[in-house]
Amino acid sequence: MNVRSGGYLLIERTKQAAYMDAQLISEFVQSASECICKQHPTLDVLWGTSKDSKNTYRERLRLSEEDFLKLTEWVEVYQESGELGYPQTFQTIELAKKFRDRFFSHIEIDIIELGLPESYVADFLAEGDEGESPERYGVERFILRHELEAPTGQFLGYEMLGYENGMFHSYLCNGLEKDLAEQFSFKLNKHGFVSTLEEAERYCTYSNQEDVETEPVLWLPWAIYGVA
């Protein structure tokens, strides 16, 4: 099966939320959705006008004012070059590691790579903006650019994700694991993801039904890869 790389995310591994089913979900969760796991750098804050928000973010990252300014400068440079796609998607593993090691080494950060099965690429791109302009969100641009590039990380499994405005909703945002466990033989692997594409496709078909209370987006099975 051909899988196309959609870029890399720097995420904070997050403790299981109270609304999640502790029998089905691991104690610590990895997800491509910012609703579940914080992602860095947070461009909405860096590009915002609120000094209070920027200071709060700097303190949360435990960065000096000098390093925080340098982070902002790096973001501008790599956004301009297209290597960092809005809002937080890195095109290369080298750049993702460079940011992690320079600014986030003192935080529990994971690098994950997104992969989309080739059979879903056309449907995914149809949900985004038309054309291949720089204004496209990062994941869309990288899916287009990486036409012949397969993911390179360690395969962790599949996550059912709905894409909207450059970011992802996860089935976990809706506590959907409870419904899936009732409807199917739902079980996550040791990495906290769905093991097979067939299972993930089945769960996405369920999530895309109009009578299921999920966000009104196209739910697709995204392959998740871990990067050391």
Side-chain angles (χ1 to χ4, degrees):
M1 180 194 63
N2 293 325
V3 178
R4 195 181 300 189
S5 176
Y8 302 83
L9 298 174
L10 297 184
I11 67 169
E12 287 190 39
R13 189 175 303 190
T14 304
K15 198 168 178 59
Q16 177 196 98
Y19 66 83
M20 297 177 183
D21 191 318
Q23 301 301 312
L24 299 171
I25 305 301
S26 305
E27 180 182 1
F28 289 94
V29 180
Q30 289 178 300
S31 172
S33 172
E34 195 180 29
C35 300
I36 306 297
C37 295
K38 293 290 185 184
Q39 298 178 9
H40 299 288
T42 304
L43 301 197
D44 287 345
V45 173
L46 294 178
W47 288 355
T49 58
S50 171
K51 292 184 179 180
D52 289 341
S53 294
K54 289 181 181 181
N55 194 50
T56 298
Y57 185 47
R58 182 184 66 78
E59 291 177 349
R60 184 175 184 277
L61 295 178
R62 304 197 300 279
L63 293 177
S64 66
E65 292 186 4
E66 181 181 354
D67 281 343
F68 191 72
L69 177 60
K70 181 62 68 174
L71 171 61
T72 303
E73 292 173 349
W74 277 35
V75 166
E76 292 290 345
V77 169
Y78 289 108
Q79 277 278 325
E80 184 68 25
S81 71
E83 295 176 75
L84 176 60
Y86 185 83
Q88 291 120 338
T89 316
F90 295 85
Q91 185 176 7
T92 67
I93 181 57
E94 291 79 15
L95 185 61
K97 287 182 176 180
K98 187 176 181 179
F99 265 76
R100 180 196 62 186
D101 296 344
R102 176 63 177 83
F103 300 108
F104 309 115
S105 61
H106 55 293
I107 301 175
E108 190 72 23
I109 290 286
D110 293 320
I111 302 177
I112 60 171
E113 183 177 9
L114 301 165
L116 185 63
E118 191 71 38
S119 58
Y120 291 105
V121 168
D123 289 340
F124 168 71
L125 293 174
E127 292 292 302
D129 298 326
E130 294 183 3
E132 192 178 351
S133 69
E135 287 72 31
R136 275 192 101 125
Y137 291 109
V139 176
E140 298 165 48
R141 288 164 55 194
F142 298 163
I143 286 286
L144 284 164
R145 288 183 185 180
H146 294 171
E147 185 172 354
L148 301 177
E149 186 174 334
T152 57
Q154 176 197 1
F155 176 68
L156 302 179
Y158 293 92
E159 184 175 12
M160 291 72 73
L161 298 170
Y163 184 78
E164 185 175 32
N165 296 329
M167 306 189 75
F168 291 102
H169 302 287
S170 172
Y171 77 101
L172 291 170
C173 303
N174 302 275
L176 199 60
E177 73 274 6
K178 304 178 185 67
D179 291 353
L180 295 177
E182 291 178 0
Q183 299 289 330
F184 310 97
S185 299
F186 176 78
K187 185 178 180 180
L188 300 179
N189 62 24
K190 65 179 181 179
H191 302 296
F193 296 101
V194 175
S195 295
T196 69
L197 177 59
E198 291 74 19
E199 291 174 279
E201 288 177 327
R202 193 178 307 128
Y203 303 149
C204 285
T205 298
Y206 176 79
S207 301
N208 281 316
Q209 295 180 112
E210 291 186 4
D211 59 342
V212 176
E213 294 184 358
T214 56
E215 285 83 1
V217 294
L218 177 63
W219 292 87
L220 294 175
W222 286 80
I224 307 296
Y225 300 81
V227 178

